[in-house]
Amino acid sequence: MKRFKGFIQKEFYHIFRDKRSLFILFGMPIAQILLFGFAITNEINNVDIAILDHSKDATTEEIINKIAASKYFSIKQMITREANIATVFQKGQVKAVLNFEKDFSKNLIKEHKATIQIITDATDPNTANTITNYINAILQQYQKELNKDITIAYQIVPQTRMVYNPELKSVYMFVPGVMTIILMLVSAMMTSISITREKELGTMEILLVSPLKPFQVIVGKVFPYIFLSIINATIIVMLSIFIFNMPVQGSLFLLAMESVLFIITSLSLGILISTIATTQQAAMMISLMGLMLPVILLSGFIFPISSMPIPLQVISNIIPAKWFIIILKAIMLKGVGLQFIWKETLILLGMTVLFIALSVKKYKIRLE
């Protein structure tokens, strides 16, 4: 046991001496959480739009003022003819154009109907769809104000209520995803590189025939990264709470236990990668390319899995990050307990056992 403690201490010293490792362990998580929290968002604010008003009456002016008064849109320019619409889009000056028909107010009074054409730049489909929805919401509110004194015989009034994220803050979606990516990459990549370094330098065989047992060597190499990953997870949760005001509705103890389980799953995957890679560079490439793309694309972090083709939905089930993101959102946003996430927990536990079993089998073959 004394030798084992000394081996773990040596691994800590080795990590803290390497400034690049420290930057990856602590600098990258903080930078990513701040980047995703502040820079990457699904929300729109101060979007530049143009107005083509053929009518130029009091009603169109009132609608334009309402749109300009919202925090979502900024009227960049007023254009005079339809031929200019293509030009402003091609120059990238605006994201949308509102085209008011001629005699807008007269048609609204006489025919009880008037047309506003919403033309958007759909090179970014999500933004174009969001802009259209926001403008429609403003127009519906204006229409409701116009018709407040009119009673309709039959009315269906939808009442919308958003639960868990009523303000639709995109940071609530990004924080669990970023936390998952960081823990997965840091844990798996640093572990695989650490063990592969010993193999590349030829010292792994020396360690395996030392008085330490083989499993003690592997646990000793992994233990510092468990400790450091827990610190990373704590930093991310604290940043999300105190900087982005993200709520943690559920149990902090359950959140901590699930995070430790996912860290161990990621570390066991890193050990498995180390059995395949023969050089540090290969371990890094496998960890980055083999983990980052699947985690981002197939975990449900950015793109909903239900919208993917069936084969990709099936493949996503073998991505540990998918299950951890479900667990994080359930605990942090929904405030649920273990009785609602026990299936995802068992899946992560099963993946951990599988990765460890495959790693042990590989290392036994090498020892023979």
Side-chain angles (χ1 to χ4, degrees):
M1 183 58 69
K2 199 170 184 180
R3 293 192 187 97
F4 181 61
K5 288 181 180 177
F7 182 69
I8 292 177
Q9 287 179 349
K10 187 267 293 181
E11 288 299 317
F12 272 111
Y13 291 147
H14 183 77
I15 292 171
F16 289 125
R17 280 201 309 265
D18 189 349
K19 294 181 180 179
R20 289 176 300 178
S21 296
L22 287 177
F23 175 75
I24 293 174
L25 284 168
F26 297 109
M28 185 175 71
I30 295 174
Q32 284 196 353
I33 194 72
L34 293 176
L35 178 65
F36 274 85
F38 286 117
I40 302 177
T41 176
N42 288 332
E43 303 158 20
I44 63 169
N45 288 293
N46 298 316
V47 174
D48 291 330
I49 64 172
I51 304 292
L52 174 56
D53 188 357
H54 293 287
S55 185
K56 293 184 176 65
D57 53 45
T59 305
T60 59
E61 185 177 348
E62 190 176 355
I63 293 173
I64 291 169
N65 289 337
K66 279 189 173 293
I67 292 173
S70 74
K71 66 177 182 179
Y72 306 114
F73 301 105
S74 174
I75 297 178
K76 182 77 171 178
Q77 58 181 297
M78 305 290 290
I79 56 181
T80 55
R81 31 192 203 121
E82 294 194 9
N84 295 335
I85 295 176
T87 304
V88 295
F89 277 132
Q90 289 168 357
K91 290 181 178 179
Q93 295 175 340
V94 298
K95 290 291 184 183
V97 174
L98 267 64
N99 185 3
F100 292 84
E101 71 174 350
K102 190 176 180 181
D103 298 326
F104 185 90
S105 184
K106 290 181 181 178
N107 292 337
L108 193 61
I109 295 170
K110 184 178 179 181
E111 301 178 11
H112 304 292
K113 185 176 73 171
T115 302
I116 302 175
Q117 186 181 28
I118 304 171
I119 308 169
T120 56
D121 180 357
T123 52
D124 184 347
N126 292 330
T127 302
N129 190 47
T130 305
I131 290 171
T132 303
N133 292 336
Y134 279 31
I135 293 175
N136 281 329
I138 294 173
L139 294 176
Q140 286 175 7
Q141 182 62 33
Y142 176 74
Q143 183 175 324
K144 188 183 294 184
E145 292 173 3
L146 286 179
N147 299 328
K148 62 182 178 181
D149 298 326
I150 299 174
T151 302
I152 302 174
Y154 299 100
Q155 279 186 306
I156 298 175
V157 182
Q159 292 184 347
T160 305
R161 185 166 68 94
M162 301 289 181
V163 295
Y164 307 126
N165 185 7
E167 297 179 9
L168 300 178
K169 291 184 177 179
S170 56
V171 70
Y172 289 7
M173 179 185 76
F174 286 130
V175 166
V178 173
M179 182 174 174
T180 302
I181 288 177
I182 290 170
L183 293 181
M184 170 69 82
L185 288 181
V186 168
S187 301
M189 182 174 67
M190 297 306 295
T191 303
S192 62
I193 290 174
S194 174
I195 297 176
T196 307
R197 182 192 299 119
E198 303 290 351
K199 290 163 57 178
E200 189 176 5
L201 297 175
T203 54
M204 178 58 82
E205 286 74 12
I206 297 173
L207 289 173
L208 292 175
V209 296
S210 67
L212 291 172
K213 295 180 180 178
F215 83 90
Q216 289 179 318
V217 172
I218 302 300
V219 172
K221 300 290 287 185
V222 167
F223 182 81
Y225 295 105
I226 295 178
F227 179 75
L228 295 173
S229 296
I230 291 172
I231 294 177
N232 262 331
T234 305
I235 291 172
I236 294 170
V237 172
M238 290 178 66
L239 286 174
S240 65
I241 293 173
F242 294 111
I243 294 183
F244 302 115
N245 297 318
M246 183 168 180
V248 180
Q249 304 288 359
S251 166
L252 283 173
F253 177 77
L254 179 60
L255 177 63
M257 292 300 100
E258 294 289 353
S259 298
V260 170
L261 173 59
F262 181 69
I263 288 168
I264 295 174
T265 304
S266 302
L267 291 170
S268 62
L269 182 57
I271 297 172
L272 182 60
I273 291 173
S274 73
T275 65
I276 302 169
T278 55
T279 64
Q280 296 179 64
Q281 186 177 5
M284 181 178 291
M285 291 300 295
I286 293 173
S287 300
L288 287 175
M289 301 303 296
L291 294 180
M292 180 174 282
L293 287 177
V295 166
I296 292 176
L297 298 177
L298 299 178
S299 65
F301 166 37
I302 297 178
F303 310 107
I305 295 175
S306 58
S307 301
M308 298 179 185
I310 297 297
L312 290 182
Q313 292 186 35
V314 173
I315 294 173
S316 70
N317 291 324
I318 64 174
I319 307 295
K322 169 189 173 180
W323 307 107
F324 187 56
I325 289 176
I326 294 173
I327 291 171
L328 283 182
K329 288 183 177 180
I331 296 174
M332 298 179 78
L333 298 179
K334 297 181 180 179
V336 305
L338 185 60
Q339 67 270 27
F340 292 98
I341 54 173
W342 63 270
K343 291 181 181 178
E344 291 81 5
T345 303
L346 284 180
I347 290 172
L348 284 182
L349 190 60
M351 287 183 175
T352 305
V353 173
L354 176 63
F355 294 151
I356 291 175
L358 292 173
S359 302
V360 168
K361 184 179 179 181
K362 285 281 186 180
Y363 274 113
K364 279 184 177 179
I365 293 172
R366 289 184 183 279
L367 286 173
E368 291 172 359

